[in-house]
Amino acid sequence: MSDFIPSANIARTRAGQAHYVSRIDETGLGAVDAVADDSAPSSLWGEAWKNLRRRPIFWIALTIIVIALAISAFPSLFTSQDPRFCELSNSLKGPSNGHPFGFNRQGCDIYSRVIYGARASVSVGVFTTILVVLFGGVIGAAAGYLGGWFDALLSRITDIFFAIPLLLAAIVFMQMFKDNRNIWMVITVLSLFGWTQIARITRGAVMSAKNEEFVTAARATGASKSRILLSHIIPNSMAPIIVYATVALGTFIVSEASLSFMGIGLPPEVVSWGADISAAQASLRTNPMVLFYPALALALTVLSFIMMGDAVRDALDPKARK
């Protein structure tokens, strides 16, 4: 230690090597390692929003979703035609003034039916997703947080419903109640058999969150089980639930269209994309545009929710961001 000289820019030769020691203020390490302590800490949702707003796919999906929701909520703002008014003399006529998409085989205005068809399809998707998230989320959160025999019981019930295909069960139940078919019947049937996946996702997220340090700290402060679950665990388990709900919404829209396509979904007096696609099959070879417009509206709507789910998943997953 006697040969060490704590001074600046002094060269020492040792076994053919030259070592240089510089002052700490000359290295610039202080500026590199400096962290602003006056800024607010960034949360998961704040980081997710920063990631989302830089992605074009998010804005494209959001634009299509907003348009679809606006059309389904206020269809009269986008067309003045009655979608149920049909004249056989206009059968399969092409586009004309006030009828940009032309007419179908029954002489109905295709554009107005595409606009009003969004209300049924999007409404089924939105309300079914809300019920599925609430019902499946409650079951999954209770099973994951309480554990033990309660978790085993709810998990076995979930497995029973999970083994039943959604569309097959919907077909059977809609056939059983075919005299009382309406939009709420479709929502109820899809919700009854569509909650299992969200219950599993919620259970896994809750089981992971309940072992975190902030939950231990909440228990140490004397917080009740219900307060810990509602105030700490559930908010920190919402990321995978939101991602799945966004994608599932598109799935439920497709399920409603499939039921209406087979003639066992919504009643004939309700305008639906699936029913219009089914009716356009007879004109597919001679006039394919009759099928193209409702199919395009359905595809764009479902695709927008899938793209939104992918964008939100990548933003909320730190591993995906890396």
Side-chain angles (χ1 to χ4, degrees):
M1 297 297 293
S2 60
D3 60 343
F4 176 72
I5 304 177
S7 59
N9 299 326
I10 298 177
R12 295 185 294 126
T13 302
R14 178 181 297 172
Q17 291 183 336
H19 297 271
Y20 296 90
V21 180
S22 61
R23 299 181 184 276
I24 188 64
D25 55 357
E26 296 179 3
T27 62
L29 294 178
V32 173
D33 296 337
V35 177
D37 56 0
D38 56 347
S39 60
S42 180
S43 64
L44 173 65
W45 303 103
E47 290 294 331
W49 171 243
K50 291 180 181 178
N51 181 275
L52 281 175
R53 65 186 183 186
R54 293 194 299 264
R55 303 195 61 186
I57 188 175
F58 166 74
W59 293 108
I60 295 173
L62 181 63
T63 301
I64 299 175
I65 290 173
V66 170
I67 293 174
L69 294 177
I71 290 175
S72 62
F74 309 102
S76 58
L77 297 179
F78 297 87
T79 180
S80 59
Q81 300 291 330
D82 185 359
R84 300 179 185 86
F85 179 76
C86 307
E87 289 186 359
L88 288 177
S89 58
N90 294 327
S91 178
L92 298 179
K93 284 187 177 180
S96 60
N97 187 21
H99 309 280
F101 294 168
F103 299 87
N104 61 13
R105 181 171 290 274
Q106 290 76 29
C108 307
D109 179 56
I110 297 177
Y111 174 75
S112 63
R113 292 188 67 85
V114 169
I115 293 297
Y116 277 87
R119 168 172 288 182
S121 299
V122 175
S123 297
V124 168
V126 171
F127 286 107
T128 302
T129 302
I130 292 174
L131 292 179
V132 162
V133 170
L134 291 177
F135 186 66
V138 169
I139 291 180
Y145 185 64
L146 298 178
W149 67 268
F150 194 75
D151 179 23
L153 176 62
L154 292 181
S155 296
R156 298 297 77 77
I157 295 175
T158 303
D159 291 339
I160 294 173
F161 279 87
F162 193 79
I164 305 174
L166 173 63
L167 193 58
L168 179 60
I171 291 173
V172 173
F173 269 75
M174 293 304 296
Q175 283 287 67
M176 292 173 58
F177 303 98
K178 59 182 178 180
D179 296 332
N180 298 317
R181 288 185 297 162
N182 53 53
I183 189 171
W184 293 108
M185 176 63 69
V186 177
I187 292 172
T188 302
V189 171
L190 293 179
S191 301
L192 183 62
F193 295 95
W195 58 270
T196 54
Q197 189 66 32
I198 197 68
R200 285 190 167 189
I201 292 175
T202 305
R203 175 180 175 270
V206 169
M207 292 182 66
S208 176
K210 74 176 184 179
N211 297 319
E212 297 292 339
E213 294 181 354
F214 60 85
V215 176
T216 305
R219 290 196 186 100
T221 59
S224 62
K225 289 185 176 181
S226 59
R227 180 177 178 82
I228 293 174
L229 179 63
L230 298 176
S231 301
H232 300 282
I233 296 180
I234 295 284
N236 287 278
S237 305
M238 289 301 297
I241 298 174
I242 292 175
V243 172
Y244 175 77
T246 306
V247 178
L249 201 155
T251 303
F252 293 133
I253 292 177
V254 172
S255 300
E256 181 278 323
S258 300
L259 293 174
S260 298
F261 178 83
M262 292 182 286
I264 57 176
L266 298 176
E269 59 270 15
V270 178
V271 181
S272 171
W273 288 336
D276 285 357
I277 293 173
S278 178
Q281 291 182 98
S283 308
L284 180 59
R285 291 187 178 182
T286 58
N287 199 338
M289 301 307 292
V290 176
L291 184 145
F292 174 76
Y293 292 116
L296 178 64
L298 175 63
L300 286 178
T301 303
V302 175
L303 180 62
S304 65
F305 284 106
I306 294 176
M307 291 192 303
M308 178 63 73
D310 289 340
V312 173
R313 179 197 60 199
D314 294 341
L316 293 176
D317 188 1
K319 295 180 181 179
R321 287 202 301 269
K322 291 181 181 179

